[in-house]
Amino acid sequence: MSIQHFIKPFVVLALLANLSQAQQKTSYKFDFGPGKVAKGYTQVLPIDDYSKEKGYGFDFDSKVSAEENDGKNLLTSDLVKSDKPFYFSVALPEGNYKVTVTLGDPKNAALSTVKAESRRLMLENIKTAAGQSLSKTFVVNIKDKNIAGGQVVGLKPRELTKLDWDDKLTLEFDRQTALQAIEITKAEDQITVFLAGNSTVVNQDDEPWASWGQMIPRFFKPGVAIANHAESGLTLGSFAGSRRLAKILSIMKPGDYLFIEFGHNDQKEKGPNDGAYKSYTERIKTFISEVKQKGGIPVVVTSTSRRSFGTEGKIVNSLGDFPNAARKVAAEEKVALIDLNAMTTTLFNALGEEPSKKAFVHYPANSYPGQDKALADNTHFNPYGAYEIAQCIILGIKEQKLGIAKYLVNDLPKFDPAKPDDVNNWHWPESPKSSVVKPDGN
């Protein structure tokens, strides 16, 4: 019996899988609440839980209530809300999607924060007065682990349950949200900004952990999609070795970007060819070369500083030659450099030795379920710290005059790392899921 006899069924199955994905629906319009349904929309009631068969619905045991009010506008006269954060999911294939949410309550003022997937901040503190409806559009990148040619990304065990890697788009609404409608459309014309990095960049699933990569979507209007492929504990070598760079290159379009931030874990590599000016430098150059060959735009980002205060009460460099090596590569290769190490050093010094704990995962025992010991981590950020560092990245984008700067939101906050936002005036509605397990990396 010939080998073709065995291969043919697998070829057929692969073709069927590709055909199924091509036929999967990529646009939806949802009208929430019990009132008459707006034309062209699908009605969603509180009983509509997510299932693969249906392809949409409230997820993760979300419990919402519905309200119907008098009004000529069928889309905005009814809504759903909850006394807890709630989730709504839609099955979608890989790609960039424009998502428009219509928020508001005919009877009450409302305030809404919207996150996507693994706690990516999309909309922050959206206020509506009683009787006001407001539509806001943002772009969400959906990714899968498949790579052209039959390869797959080598995911870590912890990634297998992450919302970033499942087969659907999940939106998280805080408990003050009054949700009237959602419209989803696949958007092929977005500039995709890919992120390559470690635990300081990755989308962290659980409170109180967070990284800058999950905060920067909030600062872009449609035109740019953020595709975060970072993962905790990775080096330049393990990022490439787990086929994450290959995944990015397989879907990168000319004009897309790759932001590259490594160093924390690369420090731990102690082989004869390792080090800031050896393997680290060579690998950054490889990343840059590969991206340029695809017509992409590489951006080198120096590593975030640790909370490493010296005897004089100022941050001391704990990353050795790695920040300087990254600066040197960017200069030699004539690519943009965002000096995040310098900016975060300024930021933490401005906060001060003790107050800077408010930007990191420093929490007394029993702050979160199952936390019987204090958390004291000087590398990993909490949401406030991640938000401040994301603003450093945005400042770097402006200073480097990158083309994507024109897509920054119109209400961009003014930011200076030497004058951090007051943590007491910063609002972050916590997500329901938390963990006391430190992410990989140091």
Side-chain angles (χ1 to χ4, degrees), residues 154-292:
L155 299 181
K156 290 188 171 189
R158 83 174 208 128
E159 294 180 272
L160 299 178
T161 57
K162 286 192 70 171
L163 301 186
D164 278 350
W165 288 108
D166 61 13
D167 56 356
K168 58 190 178 184
L169 163 65
T170 297
L171 299 174
E172 177 188 336
F173 301 92
D174 76 348
R175 63 185 181 84
Q176 298 186 61
T177 299
L179 177 62
Q180 297 174 337
I182 298 175
E183 183 174 346
I184 300 169
T185 308
K186 194 168 188 182
E188 305 284 4
D189 59 346
Q190 304 297 290
I191 297 169
T192 304
V193 177
F194 295 94
L195 307 182
N198 51 35
S199 59
T200 65
V201 186
V202 68
N203 299 326
Q204 300 284 6
D205 259 2
D206 304 323
E207 302 288 353
W209 315 90
S211 300
W212 65 258
Q214 68 198 96
M215 297 296 177
I216 63 170
R218 175 262 183 266
F219 300 104
F220 283 99
K221 53 191 174 186
V224 166
I226 305 296
N228 193 346
H229 286 255
E231 177 50 35
S232 296
L234 296 184
T235 63
L236 282 159
S238 57
F239 187 93
S242 53
R243 296 175 292 281
R244 295 168 202 265
L245 179 59
K247 170 64 180 182
I248 291 170
L249 295 172
S250 74
I251 53 178
M252 176 175 275
K253 310 181 305 297
D256 287 345
Y257 288 71
L258 177 65
F259 282 42
I260 308 160
E261 190 223 307
F262 290 91
H264 288 80
N265 303 305
D266 303 75
Q267 277 186 301
K268 296 181 290 186
E269 297 181 331
K270 301 298 182 183
N273 294 316
D274 291 322
Y277 296 112
K278 292 183 179 180
S279 62
Y280 180 75
T281 290
E282 291 164 4
R283 286 167 179 160
I284 296 180
K285 288 182 177 181
T286 297
F287 277 48
I288 290 170
S289 173
E290 295 280 355
V291 169
K292 285 182 175 179

